[in-house]
Amino acid sequence: METLKAIYGRIKAIGRRVQARAVIVGLWLLYWLGLGPVRLVMALFRRDLLTSVDPDAPTFWLEVSPQDYDPSQLPHQS
């Protein structure tokens, strides 16, 4: 019985090592096959999209006044 537990433990340990390496390889492939080519195409054709955004550039974010954050006025408060 102890021999079966030892064999099972070794198989489980090997499975964990294989799984750890599979995750690393999967993330590497996801980056190089996904994000890498997209960044390359952007660098070739639309370099302006890869530059940083100016602080005074137009944005979709709107300033909200502090009174809008009053907890007593929020709809989930009783």
Side-chain angles (χ1 to χ4, degrees):
M1 191 64 163
E2 290 296 318
T3 307
L4 290 177
K5 284 184 181 181
I7 292 171
Y8 178 72
R10 296 189 97 204
I11 291 172
K12 193 162 64 168
I14 291 170
R16 285 186 185 138
R17 285 193 295 268
V18 169
Q19 184 180 15
R21 283 169 181 74
V23 167
I24 292 170
V25 169
L27 289 174
W28 183 84
L29 286 173
L30 180 67
Y31 177 78
W32 287 107
L33 297 178
L35 299 177
V38 169
R39 185 164 175 81
L40 176 67
V41 168
M42 296 302 284
L44 292 174
F45 299 108
R46 293 293 306 269
R47 186 169 288 280
D48 60 316
L49 295 176
L50 295 176
T51 60
S52 60
V53 179
D54 294 331
D56 59 345
T59 179
F60 291 111
W61 293 99
L62 302 174
E63 297 261 344
V64 179
S65 60
Q67 61 265 24
D68 290 342
Y69 291 116
D70 184 16
S72 64
Q73 301 299 320
L74 295 174
H76 61 78
Q77 298 289 325
S78 58

